Amino acid sequence: MTERVRYRLHHWLTVFGGLAVLMAGFSAAAQVSYPTRTITMIIPTSAGGPTDGVGRILASALGEALQQNVVVENAAGAGGTLGMGRLARAQADGYTIGFWHIAHATAPAMYENLPYNVIESFDHIGRIVDVPMTIVVRSDLPVITTGELLEWMRSQKDKATYGHGGPGSASHLCMLMLMRHAGVTMTGVAYRGTGPAMTDLVGQRFDLLCDGTPATTGLIVDGKIKGIATTTSARASSLPDLPTLAETGLAGFDVNGWHGLWAPKGLPVDVRQKLNEAVQKALRDPRVVERFNKLHSDPVKLELATPAALKAHLQSEVDKWTPLIREAGVKGN
């Protein structure tokens, strides 16, 4: 081998070796490139409410799992559509995510010209918690069971009154579903949120209300209101002695204030996988589960906390609520 050939061989070996080192560096950088900075979690409601509380627990748990700060940004307005609209328009890099609930499924029927598609404009990360709802009545109403309540409602005709947290709210839709299943009509009283509605139920200013376990559990235990039944297919962990509507005669009744995690459409596959792995890790952490349970929220089974499961559940909820909302003529503000 001549000196010139040896020189060229050495030159190309050096070049290829350098390229190999460079590519290995790129590969290692890709593996650790997300997240390298703070992640923003949009919660489309005001600070301080039940959803905000659950979302902040999740943000903390995700931050620990991802070893990066996850900060909450409250973006309330228009039934959550303002916040979810911001999420849909955000860059799909994993640094903006959104935490929301059943209202995401009801938005298409309630809002004309919604600027995003609730299914196709987002990457679905995973369902997080279920929040059972309860049918509760004023403490002096002479009923104890679901059967007694239905009989009383039918006897009152449209004189029976129910409160709700505004048109299209979960508390409103729950009562629309109850009236459909029971074949009765009642008079609704709209409030700006279920907080003031609950105050008036405790004050016996109307007859019944459907609200989540975070708001009802303590009042039921203290005897300030009566719990009749939960609206989910399974009993609530915070009220294990309270039967479900389905098991007391209203077969198929299932209203669940579920919550999920989304990101803008187009996330890199590895980023979505890391976010879902962080969700799964959070739901396996006994400390996180305990914190959720203290807010009367039930963490979902791990097989439900996947992108595919959340997408399928969201579609089923859209299909369930759209006909009822349109039939009732409910429109969002």
Side-chain angles (χ1 to χ4, degrees), residues 14-15 23 36 50 59 69 71 80 89 108 118 129 138 146 169 188 194 200-201 228 239 264 268 293 307 312 322 330:
T14 301
V15 170
M23 292 302 292
T36 60
N69 290 331
V71 299
R89 295 189 300 271
V118 297
V129 296
R138 53 185 168 85
T146 298
S169 64
T194 53
D200 275 5
L201 182 66
I228 302 299
L239 294 166
N293 287 338
T322 296
V330 179

Side-chain angles (χ1 to χ4, degrees), residues 88-138:
R89 295 189 300 271
Q91 189 171 348
D93 56 8
Y95 290 99
T96 306
I97 55 180
F99 180 73
W100 198 217
H101 54 39
I102 183 175
H104 193 46
T106 62
M110 291 181 55
Y111 294 90
E112 295 181 1
N113 303 316
L114 199 65
Y116 55 85
N117 183 295
V118 297
I119 305 290
E120 301 302 332
S121 297
F122 302 92
D123 272 342
H124 312 268
I125 306 303
R127 190 161 141 200
I128 308 299
V129 296
D130 290 341
V131 181
M133 302 191 74
T134 48
I135 302 296
V136 292
V137 302
R138 53 185 168 85

Side-chain angles (χ1 to χ4, degrees), residues 20-272:
V21 170
L22 185 62
M23 292 302 292
F26 282 151
S27 176
Q31 292 175 6
V32 299
S33 62
Y34 176 82
T36 60
R37 55 186 171 87
T38 296
I39 298 167
T40 297
M41 177 190 285
I42 294 174
I43 301 182
T45 189
S46 301
T51 293
D52 181 64
V54 174
R56 288 175 186 273
I57 292 172
L58 177 64
S60 175
L62 293 180
E64 184 174 330
L66 294 167
Q67 297 185 326
Q68 189 58 259
N69 290 331
V70 179
V71 299
V72 168
E73 182 178 318
N74 295 99
T81 62
L82 290 183
M84 293 305 284
R86 286 183 57 185
L87 180 65
R89 295 189 300 271
Q91 189 171 348
D93 56 8
Y95 290 99
T96 306
I97 55 180
F99 180 73
W100 198 217
H101 54 39
I102 183 175
H104 193 46
T106 62
M110 291 181 55
Y111 294 90
E112 295 181 1
N113 303 316
L114 199 65
Y116 55 85
N117 183 295
V118 297
I119 305 290
E120 301 302 332
S121 297
F122 302 92
D123 272 342
H124 312 268
I125 306 303
R127 190 161 141 200
I128 308 299
V129 296
D130 290 341
V131 181
M133 302 191 74
T134 48
I135 302 296
V136 292
V137 302
R138 53 185 168 85
S139 59
D140 64 338
L141 199 70
V143 301
I144 297 176
T145 66
T146 298
E148 292 174 351
L149 175 61
L150 296 181
E151 183 178 347
W152 178 86
M153 289 163 59
R154 290 167 182 144
S155 71
Q156 297 295 305
K157 301 187 182 300
D158 58 358
K159 293 180 182 178
T161 55
Y162 70 92
H164 62 80
S169 64
S171 58
H172 186 209
L173 298 177
C174 176
M175 294 308 301
L176 293 179
M177 185 74 76
L178 178 63
M179 287 188 286
R180 170 186 276 188
H181 274 70
V184 301
T185 301
M186 295 185 291
T187 300
V189 182
Y191 289 80
R192 296 177 67 85
T194 53
M198 183 62 75
T199 298
D200 275 5
L201 182 66
V202 172
Q204 302 177 1
R205 294 182 177 88
F206 60 86
D207 299 317
L208 65 160
L209 175 69
C210 179
D211 201 1
T213 49
T216 63
T217 299
L219 294 172
I220 292 172
V221 172
D222 291 343
K224 294 182 178 179
I225 56 176
K226 286 183 185 178
I228 302 299
T230 56
T231 66
T232 41
S233 56
R235 294 192 179 196
S237 60
S238 61
L239 294 166
D241 295 329
L242 202 64
T244 69
L245 284 173
E247 68 183 276
T248 54
L250 295 183
F253 197 105
D254 186 6
V255 179
N256 177 2
W258 56 274
H259 292 60
L261 186 69
W262 287 271
K265 186 72 173 181
L267 278 187
V269 174
D270 61 325
V271 172
R272 184 173 67 175

Side-chain angles (χ1 to χ4, degrees), residues 6-19:
R6 281 197 297 270
Y7 173 79
R8 288 184 174 178
L9 180 61
H10 176 75
H11 170 75
W12 286 111
L13 287 174
T14 301
V15 170
F16 286 130
L19 286 173

